[in-house]
Amino acid sequence: ASFVEITHRQRDADIDPLPSPELHGSKRNYLGRTENSSNLFRHLHRLLHVELLWNRTEEAASARLRQSAESTSPGDFYSHVVLVRDDCFWADDLRLLHFPDPWTAYSRQFGTLCQASREHGPDDHVLVLGGHIAASILRLYSAYYWDKSQTLDSHDSMEHFLLLVAQSRGIRWEMVRKDWLPFWSVQHMQRPSSDEMQICLRGITRAILESPTGECVHPSKVSLPFCLDFL
């Protein structure tokens, strides 16, 4: 596998500055679970920056391919592309041997590590994408505005939109065991007895960790406090 260092960059001045759906005549639903314009633009900002980061990554791969003349596309250069939200805490290693197909998108089922899922659909905190289909998935911002497929008009959440984009492009999506993507989302909170903010794990307690209802990690791997203990 090949690796490239990706850093956050300023948005290009000539990139479409988050046009409103009304201006473009779009019939797309809002990306959140509620019709809230602030949530829509928050999601779109995220998708825009992901797409720009992917464009830079693809440029780096293309430049190296031109130098080596060994392959013809970035899909031949990267075995996997892993997209991780910045509020994730990894409790264990990510083992790419669990994700062998370069033509498949992988994620967890929606829900929290160590707990059985009560909802269906992919968790969008971490996506492991096969190198050959990464470009088709990571251009979600363009898909939202410019893909005319009516399939994409029926989504009811950000997670559902991901699945519909994959479906419209003929991409297989596989939900894997949660302990194959062993992360929790985190946030900073202040304990009632302290003036300092601390990072803590969301959606998990010591009791759940020690008596899980879903795939889990060993409690010895968890060093951060639990946000629910701060309340």
Side-chain angles (χ1 to χ4, degrees):
S2 299
F3 298 90
V4 63
E5 181 180 353
I6 303 177
T7 56
H8 288 282
R9 304 175 74 133
Q10 294 274 338
R11 189 167 75 233
D12 291 4
D14 58 347
I15 292 292
D16 190 340
L18 291 172
S20 71
E22 292 78 11
L23 288 176
H24 288 264
S26 172
K27 297 181 180 179
R28 292 276 137 86
N29 293 336
Y30 284 77
L31 284 169
R33 294 175 184 270
T34 59
E35 294 193 0
N36 183 301
S37 60
S38 63
N39 284 338
L40 170 65
F41 281 92
R42 176 171 56 83
H43 286 303
L44 287 175
H45 270 291
R46 177 189 165 208
L47 297 187
L48 175 58
H49 283 282
V50 166
E51 185 164 333
L52 289 173
L53 285 169
W54 170 247
N55 290 344
R56 300 297 186 274
T57 305
E58 199 169 45
E59 288 170 8
S62 297
R64 295 187 187 184
L65 290 171
R66 285 193 296 271
Q67 293 175 354
S68 65
E70 294 179 357
S71 304
T72 57
S73 73
D76 298 320
F77 190 76
Y78 298 113
S79 62
H80 301 77
V81 176
V82 183
L83 179 65
V84 183
R85 274 180 35 174
D86 58 5
D87 61 343
C88 289
F89 169 80
W90 290 90
D92 206 347
D93 294 335
L94 171 66
R95 296 173 173 84
L96 292 180
L97 291 176
H98 292 315
F99 313 95
D101 189 355
W103 298 95
T104 295
Y106 301 91
S107 74
R108 287 185 349 192
Q109 189 81 9
F110 190 82
T112 306
L113 182 64
C114 301
Q115 298 183 66
S117 294
R118 292 179 292 181
E119 298 183 61
H120 297 289
D123 189 317
D124 66 344
H125 280 75
V126 176
L127 306 180
V128 179
L129 307 175
H132 288 295
I133 54 89
S136 297
I137 294 292
L138 294 178
R139 293 198 171 98
L140 293 166
Y141 177 80
S142 293
Y144 183 83
Y145 276 111
W146 312 120
D147 191 318
K148 302 301 183 182
S149 172
Q150 293 183 353
T151 299
L152 303 186
D153 293 337
S154 61
H155 69 271
D156 57 16
S157 66
M158 177 66 183
E159 295 81 8
H160 191 203
F161 183 68
L162 287 171
L163 278 182
L164 292 179
V165 169
Q167 177 184 327
S168 70
R169 287 151 172 70
I171 295 170
R172 177 172 174 266
W173 197 294
E174 183 177 335
M175 307 288 184
V176 301
R177 293 173 54 97
K178 289 183 180 179
D179 56 351
W180 287 4
L181 294 171
F183 67 86
W184 280 284
S185 59
V186 294
Q187 69 182 72
H188 284 87
M189 291 185 66
Q190 184 177 351
R191 291 183 183 273
S193 59
S194 174
D195 293 332
E196 296 184 359
M197 301 292 289
Q198 286 184 277
I199 193 169
C200 57
L201 301 176
R202 300 179 60 189
I204 185 72
T205 64
R206 174 62 62 181
I208 294 173
L209 182 63
E210 294 178 347
S211 299
T213 58
E215 299 94 356
C216 200
V217 298
H218 194 274
S220 64
K221 295 182 177 294
V222 179
S223 57
L224 292 181
F226 308 104
C227 296
L228 290 173
D229 290 343
F230 286 31
L231 301 177

